[in-house]
Amino acid sequence: MIYLKNDEQIGLMRKANQIVKNALELAEELVKPGITTEFLNERLHALIVKEGAYPSFLNYEGYPKSICTSIDEEVVHGIPSAKRFLEEGSIISVDVGAVKDGFHGDAARTFAVGKISAEKQNLIDVTRQSFFEAAKIIKEGVRLGDVGHAIDSYVRSFGYSTVKVMVGHGIGKEMHEMPDVPNYGVPGKGLRLLAGMTIAIEPMVNMGVYQVKFLPDGWTCVTADGKPSAHYENTLAVTKDGCDILSL
Ligand code: MF3
Ligand code: CO
């Protein structure tokens, strides 16, 4: 079932997403060599709660923390730890969800830890831009195959690859609603978007191969070749003539 949202519901989703945005801006300020990923988790948890929301990842299918922190070859769903210290030259993807007044927000960014290589900076930049390559074509009537192709073709033009086994998603009263929103696709194929659909588009981009594996903790997704990966995600509402990005 795909639930279309009215203007009032989209307004509530914007509020949840603005809290997520504020948390990500705090993460950007805090990220530096020597801090732990648990420190980020605690500080972002406190901000979300202070703003009257709940961190929707906490206890989600047993997930033990309030945010995900994924470093270098970790793609997504890295678990914050007091034993994990950020090191100069790493990149860290921070994924945040918040639910307020019954509606969810979900967004992610990848940040540099101190000075990073030009290659890693390019991976971050291409991942972010791949989201906007999708956002700029989105409006009512566009198909999910077009959206996924816009992301994947842009990413491939740099020799990078998009992760296939994890996808973006509908979002609203639940963090994960229908439809799935893959970061690849065949133009002209797939579901047609309608005004009022709210979706999280979240390219996960690997510098090397697209294949991933999961660590024994059952959550952390890493690249199969050990090369770095970046993540960029926003929640948006589809409109008649474009889209309204709720987490910017
Ligand atoms: N933002 C992630 C997604 O869209 C959700 C992570 S849920 C967690 O898939 F529980 F793993 F944190
Ligand atoms: Co998401």
Side-chain angles (χ1 to χ4, degrees), residues 57 95 106-107 167-169 171 175-176 200-202 231 233 235:
F57 299 177
D95 194 346
D106 186 5
V167 295
H169 49 93
I171 177 168
M175 175 163 61
H176 293 136
I201 297 188
E202 50 177 317
H231 189 199
E233 175 180 26
T235 298

Side-chain angles (χ1 to χ4, degrees), residues 162-167 184 204 210-214 221:
T162 55
V163 173
K164 307 297 185 287
V165 298
M166 285 173 298
V167 295
Y184 57 93
M204 290 153 263
Y210 74 85
Q211 287 93 343
V212 296
K213 52 189 189 177
F214 293 85
C221 173

Side-chain angles (χ1 to χ4, degrees), residues 13-89:
M13 289 189 67
R14 192 188 314 280
K15 285 196 174 151
N17 276 288
Q18 289 297 305
I19 295 169
V20 170
K21 176 195 168 179
N22 292 341
L24 287 167
E25 286 178 356
L26 175 61
E28 184 167 25
E29 285 170 27
L30 295 173
V31 164
K32 55 173 180 283
I35 69 156
T36 68
T37 52
E38 174 61 16
F39 174 71
L40 281 178
N41 180 70
E42 283 168 11
R43 292 290 302 269
L44 271 60
H45 176 100
L47 180 149
I48 292 164
V49 170
K50 189 174 123 272
E51 301 221 28
Y54 181 82
S56 38
F57 299 177
L58 183 60
N59 300 320
Y60 176 82
E61 294 183 7
Y63 186 75
K65 297 287 176 177
S66 298
I67 64 171
C68 299
T69 50
S70 308
I71 297 168
D72 292 331
E73 78 284 0
E74 297 172 356
V75 178
V76 288
H77 301 168
I79 303 172
S81 162
K83 294 184 192 143
R84 189 76 190 267
F85 293 85
L86 299 190
E87 291 171 17
E88 176 104 21

